[in-house]
Amino acid sequence: MRSKFELSFIGLTIFVTILFFVVIGSMFLIPTFKGFINALFSEEMVFAISLTLTTSIVSAILVMLCCIPMAYTLSRYQFPLKGFFNIIIDLPMAFPEIVIGIALLMFLGSNGIGSYLDSMGISLVFNSTGIIIAQFFVALPYAVRTLYSTFNYIDPRYEFVSRSLGYSEVATFINVTLPMSKNGLFASSIITVARCIGTFASVLFVGGGILMKTETLAVSMYLNLSTGDIDMAITAGILLVIISFITIAVMERYAKESNL
C-alpha cells in the first residue's frame, strides 16, 4: 500500500504534467483544419521548416564537437582561472536569451568586427550563418553543463587503468571515457537539438528575422502573429511542438536502447 507521502508526490507530478499537456495541447485546437493545411503547405512554412531543421542540425553538430572536449577539460584538468571559465560558460543560462542576441549583434555587426569582416567579403549577420551562430551560443552552455556532470560521475580510475595498460590518452578517451558517458552524450544531444530548434530572440537579432530569408519556425510564429495571421502563427507553433517532441522521443528511445 502506498504511503500518503508517496501518493502526494505522485499526485503532484500527475497534476502538473496534465496541466502542461492541456496548456500545450490547447494550441492544437485553435486553427481550423483547412487553415492549418493551407498554412502547412504554404511556401513560407515549407521554407521555415527547411531552414529550422538545416540550421539546427548544423548548430547541434558544432555544439557537440565543442562541448565534449570543453566538458572533459573542466571535469578532469586543473588550470589557472578554471572557476572563472566555469562561470563564464554557465553565465548565458542565467540571463535572458535576448542578451546573447544583442551581444552577438554588437560584436559581429558594424559596431564590432563587422566592418573588418565586410572588407574581407564575410558576412555573419542577417543570414543563415547568423542563425547558426546564435543557436550555437544559446545551446552550448546547456550541453557543456550536462556533459560536465556526466564526466564527473565517471571514476577517473578507469582511465588510469587504461593508461597503465599502455593506451594513449586519445585511445583511453575514445575507448573508455566516451562509451561510459554515452547516456550523457545522448542527453546533451537532446538538449542541444531542442535548444537549437526553439531558439528565438538571439536568432531574431543576429539572423534579422527576414521573411523567406532568415525565417525559422520560431521567427515565423512571431512575424505572422505580429501581422495578425493567426493560422500561420499557430501552425508554426504546432510544428515546433511536434518537431521537438519527435526529436526528444527518438533520442530518448536510442538512449534507452543503448542501456540494454
Side-chain angles (χ1 to χ4, degrees):
M1 185 176 179
R2 298 182 186 275
S3 66
K4 292 182 179 179
F5 179 83
E6 183 180 354
L7 288 173
S8 63
F9 273 47
I10 293 175
L12 178 63
T13 301
I14 293 174
F15 172 76
V16 175
T17 303
I18 291 176
L19 183 61
F20 265 88
F21 178 79
V22 171
V23 170
I24 296 173
S26 64
M27 184 170 60
F28 287 73
L29 304 176
I30 296 176
T32 63
F33 180 75
K34 181 179 180 181
F36 174 77
I37 294 299
N38 290 337
L40 179 61
F41 292 101
S42 65
E43 184 181 2
E44 179 183 347
M45 194 59 62
V46 171
F47 176 85
I49 294 171
S50 176
L51 183 63
T52 299
L53 294 178
T54 302
T55 55
S56 295
I57 291 172
V58 173
S59 301
I61 292 173
L62 294 175
V63 167
M64 294 307 296
L65 288 176
C66 290
C67 83
I68 292 174
M70 289 176 64
Y72 188 79
T73 297
L74 294 173
S75 173
R76 290 290 191 268
Y77 303 138
Q78 297 299 323
F79 53 91
L81 300 177
K82 177 181 175 179
F84 175 75
F85 282 98
N86 254 318
I87 294 174
I88 296 300
I89 292 173
D90 289 343
L91 194 59
M93 294 190 293
F95 52 64
E97 184 189 316
I98 191 173
V99 177
I100 300 178
I102 294 175
L104 284 172
L105 182 61
M106 294 298 102
F107 178 72
L108 299 175
S110 57
N111 292 326
I113 64 174
S115 57
Y116 300 102
L117 294 176
D118 288 339
S119 64
M120 294 184 290
I122 301 174
S123 179
L124 300 180
V125 295
F126 307 143
N127 51 37
S128 57
T129 303
I131 294 175
I132 293 172
I133 292 173
Q135 292 171 338
F136 176 87
F137 275 87
V138 169
L140 181 65
Y142 295 90
V144 170
R145 183 49 50 191
T146 301
L147 205 51
Y148 170 79
S149 299
T150 300
F151 286 138
N152 276 346
Y153 278 109
I154 297 176
D155 194 332
R157 285 181 296 181
Y158 292 109
E159 298 168 341
F160 294 151
V161 170
S162 175
R163 294 298 308 281
S164 67
L165 294 175
Y167 289 97
S168 65
E169 284 186 274
V170 175
T172 297
F173 182 72
I174 294 176
N175 297 304
V176 177
T177 308
L178 288 183
M180 294 183 68
S181 62
K182 58 185 178 181
N183 292 336
L185 289 170
F186 275 115
S188 296
S189 300
I190 292 170
I191 294 172
T192 299
V193 174
R195 289 300 299 155
C196 289
I197 290 175
T199 302
F200 167 65
S202 58
V203 165
L204 183 64
F205 275 86
V206 185
I210 304 170
L211 185 69
M212 296 291 290
K213 182 180 179 182
T214 59
E215 184 182 4
T216 61
L217 282 172
V219 172
S220 178
M221 189 176 183
Y222 166 76
L223 292 177
N224 284 290
L225 193 61
S226 64
T227 58
D229 195 336
I230 302 300
D231 283 343
M232 285 288 289
I234 297 302
T235 298
I238 291 174
L239 289 174
L240 280 171
V241 173
I242 293 174
I243 293 174
S244 298
F245 178 84
I246 293 174
T247 300
I248 294 174
V250 169
M251 288 190 174
E252 287 194 341
R253 178 180 176 84
Y254 278 111
K256 290 178 180 178
E257 289 179 352
S258 67
N259 291 328
L260 299 179

